[in-house]
């Protein structure tokens, strides 16, 4: 892409959820783009749905850089156990995870952060410039809540301090919420005493007589911050009171990002983020994939079944990020075969060198990406190029190499080559994050639970789910055998 064109003529167009239209991207500072992406909640593995959102964000960042912007990317790690319900009630996710694995919350946090980083590396996600943990920024969160309190926007209830959404006139602007309509039809679980159904917790107090695994002192008493405040506090700290782009999955529009906007803009009195971008969901045949219900597939499970993580990346790029995408093993199989064909063709050409990229193909590839990150159309140019007999091999190689800077499919890898550890644009391991092995006991418990769920799925003739669970069990280094008398399992050689 021609940087001058990108800046001068505002070639890059991106959909903004806030306003619901595709607009030419205009950064706050010429040549720079400041980007915040909501990161993982580390009480479980990331499922492949979560990873769809991170791949979309990776493509966004690579396209920004390709357009000549210096992208500064900040991502949080949610390691405070916010509650399982958006209505500020329910169980603490980190404590649930710790009880499930029989570990401390801190061990859970480190284990699943490391697992996330390994997935990110496998998918060749470019590492953020700053990765920040909520538990390392409790003071910033408390300071922000205090400011809100001093402005009279927060009010106390028995279980914590709440944001009064009626005091922020633009509440729900981006999501198109109608707070009065919501109030009338309210059927969600909410904390008792809330003034408005949309009010949300800023600081949750530990219940009297309870000792929580994660809690901190605050001006309101011992407790923990609400979920939304962490992103506002850290994004402000690292990117400021007005920055360019904030991303996440589509589920964040209604509650998490709506509340981030409310608390930040109520406090600063000005517009916070210029572009809000959201990736649509990856769906399973039967609907939503969710961490809390346990219905999820991990990248390790796909690898264990013999799929290249980059085949999953290719599968994702075959759909536009703003379209829901249904996952199936058939489609993934198709992507794996396509990746093999792509690499096979690229490999045959690889010896040819010394040419410049083909301007027509590259321009059309870039134009597709500049058009709100249209990856499927960009990929179509890659395939056309490969099939075009009129383009000399050396020119194809140069064009492909340039395209792969965004695609990140490792197109010149031969099938017999395994990716080198640390190769590609992988995320470097955060030295603060120790890798923790699951204990023998919790591993056995995990296998037992998964086998039980698989038996239930089989009894309900839900074979897709049963297959997904088998893949998860296999990922733990275990082989299972079904017989008329039941299912038995054995540890594979080489695994503990
Ligand atoms: P979490 O770890 O639950 O906070 O989610 C991490 C990211 O994944 C967030 O940006 C979510 O919006 C996103 N996400 C959650 N479920 C899905 C899904 N099924 N498909 C795509 N993105 C998702
Ligand atoms: Zn967030």
């Amino acid at each position: 892409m021609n940087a001058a064109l990108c800046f001068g003529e505002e070639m890059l167009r991106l959909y903004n959820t806030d306003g619901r239209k595709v607009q030419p991207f205009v950064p706050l500072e010429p040549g720079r783009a400041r980007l915040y992406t909501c990161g993982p909640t580390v009480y479980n593995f990331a499922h492949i749905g979560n990873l769809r959102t991170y791949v979309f964000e990776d493509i966004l960042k690579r396209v920004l850089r390709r357009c000549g912007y210096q992208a500064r990317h900040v991502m949080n790690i949610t390691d405070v156990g916010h509650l399982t319900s958006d209505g500020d009630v329910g169980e603490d996710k980190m404590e649930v995870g710790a009880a499930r694995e029989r570990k401390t919350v801190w061990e859970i946090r480190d284990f699943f952060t490391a697992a996330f980083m390994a997935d990110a590396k496998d998918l060749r996600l470019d590492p953020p410039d700053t990765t920040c943990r909520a538990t390392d920024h409790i003071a910033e969160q408390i300071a922000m809540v205090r400011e809100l309190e001093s402005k009279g926007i927060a009010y106390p209830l028995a279980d914590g301090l709440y944001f009064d959404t009626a005091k922020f006139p633009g509440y729900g602007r981006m999501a198109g919420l109608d707070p009065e309509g919501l109030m009338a039809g309210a059927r969600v679980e909410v904390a008792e005493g809330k003034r408005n159904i949309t009010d949300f917790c800023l600081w949750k107090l530990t219940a009297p007589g309870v000792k929580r695994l994660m809690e901190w002192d605050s001006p309101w008493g011992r407790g923990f911050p609400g979920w939304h405040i962490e992103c506002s506090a850290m994004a402000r700290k690292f990117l400021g009171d007005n920055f360019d782009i904030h991303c996440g999955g589509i589920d964040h529009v209604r509650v998490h990002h709506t509340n981030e906007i409310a608390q930040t803009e109520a406090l600063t009195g000005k517009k916070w983020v210029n572009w809000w971008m959201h990736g649509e969901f990856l769906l399973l045949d039967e609907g939503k994939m969710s961490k809390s219900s346990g219905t999820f597939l991990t990248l390790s499970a796909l690898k264990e079944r013999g799929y290249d993580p980059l085949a999953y990346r290719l599968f994702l790029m075959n759909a536009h990020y703003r379209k829901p995408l249904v996952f199936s093993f058939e489609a993934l199989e198709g992507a794996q075969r396509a990746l093999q064909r792509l690499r096979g063709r690229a490999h045959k050409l690889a010896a040819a060198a010394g040419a410049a990229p083909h301007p027509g193909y590259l321009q059309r590839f870039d134009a597709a990406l500049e058009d709100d990150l249209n990856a499927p159309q960009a990929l179509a140019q890659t395939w056309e190029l490969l099939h075009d007999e009129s383009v000399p091999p050396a020119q194809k190689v140069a064009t492909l190499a340039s395209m792969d800077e965004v695609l990140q499919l490792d197109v010149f890898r031969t099938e017999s080559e395994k990716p080198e550890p640390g190769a590609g644009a992988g995320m470097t391991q955060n030295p603060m994050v120790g890798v923790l092995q699951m204990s023998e006991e919790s591993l056995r418990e995990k296998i037992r639970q998964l086998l039980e769920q698989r038996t239930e799925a089989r009894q309900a003739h839900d074979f897709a789910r049963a297959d997904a669970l088998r893949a998860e069990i296999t990922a733990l280094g275990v082989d299972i055998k079904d017989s008329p008398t039941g299912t038995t399992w054995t540890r594979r050689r080489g695994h503990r």
Side-chain angles (χ1 to χ4, degrees):
M1 284 181 203
N2 181 321
L5 274 183
C6 259
F7 296 149
E9 296 175 22
E10 294 161 3
M11 295 288 279
L12 179 59
R13 277 162 294 122
L14 299 173
Y15 183 82
N16 191 348
T17 312
D18 196 3
R20 300 193 181 247
K21 53 177 184 287
V22 177
Q23 299 167 311
F25 177 67
V26 184
L28 281 161
E29 255 182 277
R32 288 175 195 271
R34 278 175 284 158
L35 170 72
Y36 184 91
T37 59
C38 286
T41 309
V42 284
Y43 69 102
N44 208 335
F45 291 104
H47 58 56
I48 57 172
N50 302 132
L51 297 173
R52 179 180 190 203
T53 293
Y54 302 119
V55 168
F56 135 64
E57 291 160 352
D58 182 66
I59 293 169
L60 168 65
K61 193 160 94 175
R62 290 179 189 279
V63 169
L64 284 166
R65 295 217 168 113
R66 202 166 167 83
C67 276
Y69 294 103
Q70 220 182 73
R72 165 140 172 67
H73 176 202
V74 176
M75 182 187 77
N76 68 305
I77 302 269
T78 299
D79 60 348
V80 170
H82 58 79
L83 302 177
T84 46
S85 119
D86 282 338
D88 294 316
V89 291
E91 293 174 294
D92 173 321
K93 289 181 178 172
M94 289 300 283
E95 296 204 0
V96 169
R100 188 189 60 230
E101 307 293 344
R102 298 195 195 158
K103 293 281 167 202
T104 69
V105 279
W106 309 104
E107 287 168 332
I108 289 295
R109 184 270 303 275
D110 289 350
F111 177 78
F112 289 116
T113 304
F116 171 76
M117 293 200 174
D119 287 347
K121 186 169 173 177
D122 278 341
L123 287 169
R124 296 170 74 104
L125 306 184
D126 188 49
D129 301 288
T130 302
T131 303
C132 43
R133 294 196 292 215
T135 52
D136 293 333
H137 296 85
I138 299 294
E140 287 84 346
Q141 295 174 68
I142 291 178
M144 203 169 155
V145 177
R146 281 189 83 146
E147 262 190 87
L148 285 166
E149 190 187 28
S150 69
K151 288 194 171 226
I153 305 169
Y155 63 94
L157 284 184
D159 68 338
L161 202 72
Y162 283 77
F163 182 95
D164 187 346
T165 50
K167 298 249 166 79
F168 179 63
Y171 186 81
R173 169 191 80 218
M174 176 171 73
L177 296 184
D178 160 21
E180 276 167 27
L182 275 178
M183 187 70 115
R187 277 202 289 141
V188 292
E189 259 188 305
V190 287
E192 229 184 293
K194 272 197 201 181
R195 290 183 188 164
N196 312 288
I197 190 169
T198 43
D199 292 357
F200 55 92
C201 193
L202 294 165
W203 186 267
K204 186 96 175 169
L205 293 168
T206 302
V210 171
K211 174 85 191 91
R212 293 175 41 83
L213 298 174
M214 274 183 162
E215 54 182 3
W216 295 266
D217 286 324
S218 81
W220 313 281
R222 235 172 138 62
F224 61 102
W227 169 32
H228 319 299
I229 199 78
E230 75 174 67
C231 287
S232 291
M234 292 192 281
R236 285 180 76 207
K237 171 172 175 171
F238 294 107
L239 297 173
D241 281 350
N242 187 200
F243 65 90
D244 299 296
I245 309 176
H246 192 317
C247 301
I250 195 81
D251 57 324
H252 282 350
V253 176
R254 221 182 137 85
V255 179
H256 183 48
H257 289 167
T258 287
N259 292 349
E260 280 189 43
I261 292 174
Q263 63 203 358
T264 314
E265 296 190 359
L267 196 148
T268 62
K270 60 181 186 195
K271 193 177 168 79
W272 183 35
V273 174
N274 287 3
W275 252 265
W276 286 89
M277 294 184 68
H278 297 96
E280 258 295 350
F281 260 31
L282 179 82
L283 304 169
L284 291 179
D285 274 346
E286 63 268 32
K288 201 174 130 174
M289 187 173 305
S290 103
K291 268 191 201 177
S292 46
S293 70
T295 52
F296 66 87
L297 264 175
T298 59
L299 192 66
S300 318
L302 301 188
K303 279 166 69 179
E304 199 64 33
R305 284 183 160 216
Y307 294 105
D308 183 330
L310 298 183
Y312 181 58
R313 190 175 162 109
L314 177 58
F315 161 77
L316 294 177
M317 289 191 296
N318 280 327
H320 192 275
Y321 78 92
R322 283 199 291 118
K323 296 248 159 63
L325 173 63
V326 178
F327 176 82
S328 72
F329 279 103
E330 292 73 38
L332 181 61
E333 188 66 44
Q336 174 113 322
R337 281 198 302 271
L339 183 62
Q340 282 161 355
R341 276 201 311 278
L342 186 66
R343 286 184 180 153
R345 281 175 175 265
H347 181 64
K348 280 197 202 125
L349 301 167
H358 187 283
Y361 280 105
L362 207 55
Q363 190 275 327
R364 288 189 292 275
F365 176 88
D366 286 345
L369 292 171
E370 285 166 356
D371 181 15
D372 193 28
L373 315 179
N374 195 332
Q377 257 183 37
L379 269 169
Q381 288 304 311
T382 310
W383 286 111
E384 244 181 75
L385 166 79
L386 282 170
H387 289 115
D388 189 339
E389 302 287 329
S390 73
V391 180
Q395 202 171 25
K396 278 189 183 169
V397 169
T399 319
L400 265 181
S402 174
M403 290 173 170
D404 205 35
E405 285 167 11
V406 178
L407 301 176
Q408 291 295 317
L409 293 173
D410 207 359
V411 291
F412 296 106
R413 187 201 307 170
T414 56
E415 280 314 309
S416 56
E417 274 175 323
K418 287 259 176 285
E420 284 170 38
M427 195 179 269
T428 47
Q429 185 91 24
N430 179 344
M432 293 174 65
V433 175
V435 178
L436 176 92
Q437 295 275 329
M438 264 191 212
S439 73
E440 180 63 27
E441 200 191 349
S442 59
L443 188 64
R444 281 178 171 274
E445 175 56 21
K446 173 118 193 143
I447 294 167
R448 194 193 60 70
Q449 284 173 4
L450 290 170
L451 281 173
E452 211 174 87
Q453 289 170 19
R454 180 170 170 269
T455 306
E456 280 167 20
R458 279 159 55 97
Q459 280 163 356
H461 297 275
D462 186 350
F463 297 112
R465 173 151 163 70
D467 271 359
L469 285 160
R470 174 191 271 270
E472 251 197 86
I473 298 166
T474 321
L476 294 171
V478 167
D479 286 328
I480 54 181
K481 204 165 164 197
D482 296 314
S483 75
T485 53
T487 304
T488 51
W489 63 273
T490 46
R491 202 58 69 71
R492 255 196 320 283
R493 284 170 67 116
H495 280 264
R496 300 179 294 142

